[in-house]
Amino acid sequence: MPHIKTIEGILDAKGLKIALVASRFNDFIVDKLVGGAVDYLVRHGISQEDLTLYKIPGAFEFPVIVKKLAMKKQYHGIVCLGAVIRGATPHFDFVASEATKGIAQTSLETGIPVGFGLLTTDTLEQAIERAGSKAGNKGVEAAAALLETIRVLEQVD
Ligand code: INI
């Protein structure tokens, strides 16, 4: 492989201010995602006082909250943590797609990066697997992706 100029993120969260937004729906799953995200960010150097957790009713409410938080420009980034489980709802597709679209649109419009830790699964078992068991912890992944994205964005000029 030829040597090319490469920009990559240093995974140091020191000095960052981050908002976590977590839905109460399926909270026994979501609490695990929150725990994973907080643990990751603290282990990577963020001060606890620079983390703020916003609790919201369900995934459908992500867009409006994330938009207001992003527009404040007080946070370097936002992590969304939630779980939409198909087995539990006939309007799974609407909730999941509106949440996803709204979060992505806000991030693009404001330039504030968002870690997407919204589980969308067919079953409760699949959600449990992604919340700190067989398939890892999506909250950790979302926090890690956010940190890396913040540090890459800083170098794009
Ligand atoms: N919200 C979720 O976060 N996950 C779900 O699985 C879910 N289900 O099953 O319906 C869900 N619904 C609530 C929705 O997000 C809103 O809070 C509600 O419709 C009020 O606006």
Side-chain angles (χ1 to χ4, degrees), residues 23 25-26 57-61 83-85 88-89 91 95:
S23 52
F25 209 102
N26 297 319
F60 190 78
E61 282 71 38
V84 191
I85 301 171
T89 172
H91 58 278
V95 172

Side-chain angles (χ1 to χ4, degrees), residues 21-23 56 58-66 80-82 99 103 118:
V21 185
S23 52
I56 65 169
F60 190 78
E61 282 71 38
F62 276 121
V64 69
I65 304 286
V66 168
C80 290
L81 302 156
I103 291 167
L118 178 62

Side-chain angles (χ1 to χ4, degrees), residues 10-30:
I10 303 294
L11 301 183
D12 178 6
K14 194 160 178 276
L16 296 179
K17 286 193 189 305
I18 290 180
L20 303 155
V21 185
S23 52
R24 292 183 190 278
F25 209 102
N26 297 319
D27 65 351
F28 84 101
I29 298 283
V30 180

Side-chain angles (χ1 to χ4, degrees), residues 56-120:
I56 65 169
F60 190 78
E61 282 71 38
F62 276 121
V64 69
I65 304 286
V66 168
K67 183 160 192 183
K68 184 150 189 194
L69 288 171
M71 283 170 48
K72 286 161 82 75
K73 305 273 178 197
Q74 276 177 12
Y75 297 105
H76 296 90
I78 300 168
V79 189
C80 290
L81 302 156
V84 191
I85 301 171
R86 188 184 292 274
T89 172
H91 58 278
F92 171 95
D93 292 304
F94 300 109
V95 172
S97 87
E98 288 309 308
T100 307
K101 258 192 299 175
I103 291 167
Q105 194 182 323
T106 295
S107 182
L108 286 175
E109 280 171 8
T110 60
I112 301 291
V114 178
F116 186 67
L118 178 62
L119 295 175
T120 52

